[in-house]
């Protein structure tokens, strides 16, 4: 492959997200990631926003960006892969960032492969950790790999930009600092950039899937160890007395004990609650990738060797069907006296 | 109408090994299945095929010789033909190199109207290859598709996204990646099983694709695995054993109250 002059590429890009002109909070999580990388490299952090009118763009500066590129067109109001791809590729050609980070959302996971393929560069999905190798200044991208208990660190040594998506909720949103200053650049490209055969018809809110466990302070999650759909009710019961969200492993979802919006892990949601209670789940890396940043983790499992105990702050080795009912009673007592 | 379904053979269990030196997955022919979402992709293609009389449905896979089994299964479930991309030249491909090879194979088929693939595979879980193939073919892509309606010259897709559904219309040719809500995967038919026994699945190497070797395999992959490791997850864990009394639970409650999370 022809080698490229890597030194022409400078700066970190994060690809922010908006819907209906409102910046999505995942943008601020990306700023946390991006700021850390830019500081390590001693370079600028730019946030790319694609859309028509976007409210409160200044907030992105307050939360850590040195520059905002607002690519503005009515054609970008809703997400369509082609106009987004064209706009991002155009900006990348102009600005030549060395790193691009997007969220592993349906938008980020669609647009990044298109951009990477067009630019012939590497892309790593669903990273849980991004760091800079101090010697080579190359981006080290770490993600859980293949169904099992392994993490892989991946790099893109000879191509630029280096591209990665990170799981939503895997970083805290950057706090706002209204004293921060930066530059907001509005890019209005000519219409040809946004031409596409795709036609956006409509967006329909899904009111049946209002399961927002990402925002729950407490999550009670169950795995295969709950044994049956009926057994899984115990997870829901404990969640109810705690006012908690219900989480599940992929196994529990595939067995039909609960629905996909509850799935936590690499192929489900990433959560970071104050308290995570893991019941009858062994702790495959797949699952732990989605919850290990929780503040306090409690595990109850009958297998003392279960991986989940390694990430737990408090573990009880025992039968969930014996321990959890006691826990429910104890919490009910507290709630009654509170 | 020409439809292509992309099939990946994946390990049937979670027991996949990695070469500790290169970080490349070690695949064996044993205990493999068609990637579950690819079965949804196939079922959707078969559904479209059965709804009209002009469809030729081709399943393509890239992988070791043993992936032949997955393609025969695809024929048993309703594909008309299968093509296997295989050879050492493809070994170690990342998603870019894989996408390039598969797109070259699709190009070789001539006019293809609709390409359907699973949104992601259960082994790599990158979910990148579909979109990359669309990019290399320079055709539109729609991802996370949970319903698909074929019109005269276009498809209307329903995408499942955060907080709702998006409906998008795209003229042919188009590549769609599907999720598991799109349908119930199909089963082999008796007719299909007979056909699978007789069908010749050609194996294509780079002789057939005619790509510059430097864009294939590990050498054509922009990414490199630096290391694989078992993650250091440990926290200082307070461990208690259930003993039939409320002791451990009481202690847990005390711990949680102390941490101010209750």
């Amino acid at each position: 492959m022809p080698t490229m002059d890597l030194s022409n590429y400078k700066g970190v890009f994060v690809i922010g997200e908006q819907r209906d002109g409102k910046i999505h909070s995942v943008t601020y999580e990306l700023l946390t990631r991006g700021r850390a990388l830019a500081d390590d490299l001693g370079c600028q952090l730019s946030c790319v926003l694609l859309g028509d009118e976007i409210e409160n763009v200044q907030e992105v500066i307050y939360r850590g960006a040195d520059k905002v590129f607002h690519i503005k067109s009515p054609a970008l109001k809703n997400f369509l892969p082609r106009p987004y791809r064209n706009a991002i590729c155009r900006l990348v050609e102009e600005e030549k960032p060395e790193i691009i980070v997007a969220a592993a959302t349906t938008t980020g996971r669609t647009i990044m492969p298109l951009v990477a393929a067009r630019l012939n560069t590497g892309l790593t999905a669903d990273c849980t950790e991004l760091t800079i190798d101090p010697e080579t200044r190359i981006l080290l991208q770490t993600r859980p790999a293949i169904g099992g208990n392994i993490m892989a660190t991946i790099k893109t040594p000879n191509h630029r930009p280096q591209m990665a998506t990170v799981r939503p909720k895997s970083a805290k949103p950057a706090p706002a600092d209204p004293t921060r200053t930066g530059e907001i650049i509005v890019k209005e490209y000519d219409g040809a950039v946004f031409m596409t055969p795709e036609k956006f018809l409509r967006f329909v809110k899904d009111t049946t899937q209002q399961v927002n466990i990402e925002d729950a302070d407490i999550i009670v999650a169950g795995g295969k160890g709950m044994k049956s759909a009926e057994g899984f009710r115990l997870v829901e019961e404990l969640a109810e007395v705690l006012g908690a969200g219900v989480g599940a492993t992929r196994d529990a979802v595939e067995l039909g004990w609960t629905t996909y919006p509850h799935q936590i892990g690499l192929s489900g949601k990433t959560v970071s609650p104050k308290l995570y209670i893991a019941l009858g789940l062994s702790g495959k890396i797949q699952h732990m990738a989605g919850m290990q940043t929780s503040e306090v983790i409690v595990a109850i499992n009958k297998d003392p060797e279960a991986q989940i105990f390694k990430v737990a702050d408090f573990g009880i080795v025992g039968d969930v069907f014996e321990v959890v009912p006691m826990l429910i009673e104890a919490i009910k007592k507290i709630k009654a006296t509170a | 109408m020409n439809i292509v379904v992309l099939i990946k053979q994946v390990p049937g269990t979670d027991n996949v090994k990695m070469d500790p030196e290169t970080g490349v997955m070690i695949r064996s022919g044993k205990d493999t299945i068609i990637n579950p979402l690819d079965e949804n992709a196939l079922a959707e293609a078969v559904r479209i095929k059965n709804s009209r009389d002009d469809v030729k449905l081709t399943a393509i896979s890239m992988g070791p010789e043993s992936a032949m089994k997955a393609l025969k299964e695809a024929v048993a479930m309703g594909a008309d033909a299968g093509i296997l991309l295989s050879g050492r030249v493809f070994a170690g491909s990342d998603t870019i190199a894989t996408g390039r090879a598969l797109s070259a194979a699709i190009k070789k088929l001539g006019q293809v109207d609709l390409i359907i693939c699973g949104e992601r595979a259960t082994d790599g879980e990158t979910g990148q290859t579909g979109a990359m193939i669309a990019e290399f073919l320079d055709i539109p892509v729609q991802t996370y598709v949970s319903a698909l309606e074929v019109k005269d010259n276009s498809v209307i897709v329903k995408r499942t996204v955060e907080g709702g559904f998006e409906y998008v219309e795209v003229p042919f040719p188009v590549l769609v990646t599907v999720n598991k809500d799109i349908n119930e995967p199909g089963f082999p038919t008796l007719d299909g099983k007979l056909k699978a026994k007789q069908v010749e699945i050609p194996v294509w190497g780079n002789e057939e694709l005619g790509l510059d070797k430097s864009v294939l395999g590990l050498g054509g992959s922009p990414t490199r695995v630096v290391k694989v490791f078992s993650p250091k997850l440990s926290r200082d864990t307070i461990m208690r054993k259930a003993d039939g009394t409320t002791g451990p639970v009481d202690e847990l409650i005390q711990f949680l109250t102390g941490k101010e999370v209750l």
Side-chain angles (χ1 to χ4, degrees):
Chain A
M1 283 217 166
T3 49
M4 46 194 325
D5 188 356
L6 306 184
S7 62
N8 285 338
Y9 289 78
K10 283 203 170 62
V12 176
F13 267 22
V14 296
I15 311 290
E17 292 192 21
Q18 57 88 22
R19 186 180 284 283
D20 296 332
K22 291 185 177 60
I23 296 170
H24 193 278
S25 62
V26 78
T27 308
Y28 308 136
E29 298 167 25
L30 292 173
L31 289 170
T32 300
R33 298 277 191 177
R35 190 68 259 168
L37 298 174
D39 288 346
D40 277 358
L41 287 166
C43 69
Q44 284 206 321
L45 171 63
S46 304
C47 179
V48 184
L49 291 171
L50 302 101
D52 194 10
E53 298 293 339
I54 299 177
E55 292 168 26
N56 216 357
V57 174
Q58 190 67 37
E59 183 79 8
V60 176
I61 301 284
Y62 294 162
R63 293 190 188 246
D66 300 308
K67 262 187 200 169
V68 179
F69 292 101
H70 173 186
I71 308 178
K72 190 164 178 277
S73 164
L76 299 174
K77 193 171 181 296
N78 292 300
F79 173 66
L80 283 175
R82 288 219 145 180
Y84 270 58
R85 173 203 70 184
N86 290 348
I88 293 171
C89 286
R90 172 79 173 264
L91 186 65
V92 168
E93 276 161 30
E94 291 171 6
E95 297 294 322
K96 294 191 168 35
E98 60 196 295
I99 292 171
I100 307 178
V101 182
T105 53
T106 55
T107 300
R109 284 176 130 279
T110 302
I111 198 65
M112 292 289 269
L114 296 178
V115 173
R118 171 143 292 206
L119 302 174
N120 187 39
T121 189
L123 169 61
T124 306
D126 284 331
C127 297
T128 52
E129 203 185 317
L130 296 175
T131 56
I132 301 293
D133 178 2
E135 266 170 51
T136 60
R137 296 170 61 82
I138 282 176
L139 178 66
L140 300 177
Q141 312 157 124
T142 299
R143 75 185 297 263
I146 50 164
N149 299 304
I150 276 178
M151 303 289 285
T153 301
I154 293 160
K155 65 178 176 181
T156 298
N158 301 317
H159 299 72
R160 291 294 176 274
Q162 306 161 84
M163 297 177 61
T165 60
V166 294
R167 300 291 296 196
K169 297 279 171 183
S170 67
K172 302 261 183 234
D177 171 3
T179 65
R180 272 191 61 87
T181 55
E183 203 181 342
I184 297 171
I185 300 155
V186 177
K187 291 268 181 187
E188 287 181 281
Y189 294 134
D190 57 278
V193 171
F194 307 117
M195 290 272 274
T196 179
E198 304 155 304
K199 207 163 93 194
F200 189 91
L201 302 177
R202 62 190 182 277
F203 173 74
V204 179
K205 232 183 185 167
D206 183 6
T207 45
T208 62
Q209 289 200 2
Q210 289 300 4
V211 183
N212 257 338
I213 50 172
E214 288 110 317
D215 298 328
D217 279 341
I218 303 177
I219 289 174
V220 183
K224 230 172 14 187
M226 301 315 296
K227 296 224 168 95
S228 65
E230 206 184 311
F232 197 84
R233 299 288 86 84
L234 198 55
V235 175
E236 294 164 344
E237 217 179 299
L238 177 57
E240 204 190 319
V241 296
L242 285 166
V246 172
T249 62
R250 183 160 90 182
D251 286 336
V253 171
E254 278 179 0
L255 288 162
W257 299 346
T258 183
T259 54
Y260 180 68
H262 295 279
Q263 188 169 317
I264 290 169
L266 195 54
S267 46
K269 287 174 176 159
T270 305
V271 296
S272 196
K274 290 200 177 86
L275 172 59
Y276 192 93
I277 304 180
L279 305 178
L281 67 88
S282 62
K284 285 187 187 152
I285 283 293
Q286 295 271 13
H287 180 73
M288 298 214 276
M291 48 67 74
Q292 63 195 8
T293 55
S294 304
E295 237 165 84
V296 175
I297 298 173
V298 173
I300 304 173
N301 196 305
K302 69 172 189 298
D303 175 12
E305 302 297 317
Q307 284 282 336
I308 191 71
F309 286 126
K310 293 200 175 138
V311 301
D313 299 282
F314 198 107
I316 298 179
V317 178
D319 183 352
V320 285
F321 296 102
E322 178 197 320
V323 179
V324 177
M326 284 185 197
L327 186 56
I328 291 172
E329 283 315 307
I331 288 162
K332 273 186 184 163
K333 239 183 252 168
I334 296 178
K335 299 271 169 185
T337 56
Chain B
M1 182 185 193
N2 279 317
I3 303 181
V4 166
V5 170
L6 298 172
I7 301 278
K8 189 179 189 187
Q9 191 180 45
V10 297
T13 64
D14 291 338
N15 295 320
V16 188
K17 293 202 173 84
M18 267 184 156
D19 182 328
E21 296 288 305
T22 62
V24 171
M25 283 179 236
I26 303 168
R27 299 164 198 278
S28 73
K30 288 175 205 155
D31 192 20
T32 56
I33 56 169
I34 293 180
N35 176 50
L37 288 180
D38 298 352
E39 289 198 351
N40 294 98
L42 182 61
E44 196 60 16
V46 171
R47 184 186 69 78
I48 296 165
K49 185 186 147 179
N50 291 342
S51 71
R52 23 197 310 157
D53 50 16
D54 63 341
V55 173
K56 179 167 187 204
L57 172 53
T58 308
I60 304 182
S61 186
M62 177 168 135
E65 289 269 346
S66 58
M68 188 73 85
K69 186 183 127 203
L71 287 167
K72 293 220 166 189
E73 274 174 58
V75 171
M77 287 194 268
D80 297 303
I83 296 163
L84 176 62
L85 282 192
S86 195
R88 293 187 71 158
V89 70
F90 302 117
S93 294
D94 70 359
T95 53
I96 284 275
T98 303
R100 214 184 282 278
L102 283 168
S103 63
I106 295 167
K107 262 184 210 161
K108 205 175 143 68
L109 293 180
Q111 167 74 36
V112 171
D113 305 286
L114 178 60
I115 302 161
I116 312 180
C117 23
E119 187 270 307
R120 67 178 72 188
T122 51
D123 54 355
E125 291 211 309
T126 68
Q128 292 175 178
T129 312
M132 285 174 171
I133 290 167
E135 183 61 40
F136 288 130
L137 292 170
D138 201 14
I139 63 170
V141 62
Q142 289 294 322
T143 51
Y144 301 93
V145 170
S146 51
L148 191 159
E149 186 190 345
V150 175
K151 301 288 213 186
D152 286 342
N153 298 305
S154 64
V155 287
I156 294 176
V157 299
K158 176 188 180 189
R159 302 181 68 226
T160 302
V161 302
E162 295 79 6
F165 307 106
E166 290 179 353
Y167 292 82
V168 180
E169 182 167 13
V170 194
F172 295 125
V174 58
L175 184 150
V176 299
T177 73
V178 303
N179 69 21
K180 68 179 175 183
D181 294 332
I182 194 161
N183 55 34
E184 286 294 324
F187 293 97
T189 60
L190 200 59
D191 194 36
K193 278 186 188 167
L194 282 172
K195 216 165 138 197
K197 267 187 195 153
Q198 291 154 2
V199 73
E200 280 284 322
I201 308 254
V203 180
W204 288 2
N206 195 37
E207 296 73 32
E208 282 77 12
L209 302 185
L211 292 171
D212 186 335
K213 263 193 187 166
S214 70
V215 303
L216 296 173
L218 191 62
S221 299
T223 59
R224 285 288 176 278
V225 178
V226 181
K227 60 173 178 177
V228 293
F229 59 100
S230 296
K232 203 178 85 229
L233 300 161
S234 57
R235 299 187 181 196
D236 292 328
T237 313
I238 302 170
M239 288 293 277
R240 292 293 177 265
K241 213 170 157 350
D243 55 7
T245 75
T246 60
V249 165
D250 292 341
E251 234 181 296
L252 170 60
I253 297 276
Q254 215 165 33
F255 173 80
L256 294 177
T257 326
K259 291 269 180 193
E260 294 178 351
V261 290
L262 270 193

